[in-house]
Amino acid sequence: MSGSEDILETARAWRAEGERVALATVVETWGSSPRPAGSRLAVTGTGRLAGSVSGGCIEGAVADVAKQVMESGTPQLLDFGITDERAWEVGLACGGKLKVFVEPLA
């Protein structure tokens, strides 16, 4: 089973336990990005996480939006970008851009 399938299986198990779950997927990258397109992060309403969309640098922001998406039921497309000059300040090794699609799981 690939890492992506493991995350989907974890999300499925959480749903089976009665948890609200949102799934975040990297849909586009440009320049240097910590994770490739297709990388996933599952988030529950109680704060459990599985997977990664950034190696840790934007996970908190994505998890916050995931909770909003679970409440509203409305998916969101997030756009993150950073210049090489600011990259070290926020924990990225280099600059780059990525888009993350966050959707609630039914």
Side-chain angles (χ1 to χ4, degrees), residues 3 20-21 30 32 42 54 64 71-72 88 91 98 100-102 105:
R20 290 180 306 141
V21 180
W30 180 87
S32 181
S54 73
D64 288 345
E71 288 294 323
S72 70
W88 288 103
L98 67 153
V100 179
F101 183 70
V102 185
L105 295 184

Side-chain angles (χ1 to χ4, degrees), residues 56-77:
C57 19
I58 62 167
E59 249 77 0
V62 171
D64 288 345
V65 170
K67 289 179 182 178
Q68 295 170 11
V69 164
M70 284 182 261
E71 288 294 323
S72 70
T74 304
Q76 290 191 41
L77 181 62

Side-chain angles (χ1 to χ4, degrees), residues 3-8 10-11 14 22-26 35 38-43 48-60 62-63:
S4 182
E5 290 169 337
D6 289 344
I7 294 162
L8 292 175
T10 298
W14 288 341
L23 186 65
T25 305
V26 175
R35 296 277 188 245
S39 297
R40 292 186 167 138
L41 174 69
V43 180
R48 293 196 279 181
L49 305 173
S52 178
V53 291
S54 73
C57 19
I58 62 167
E59 249 77 0
V62 171

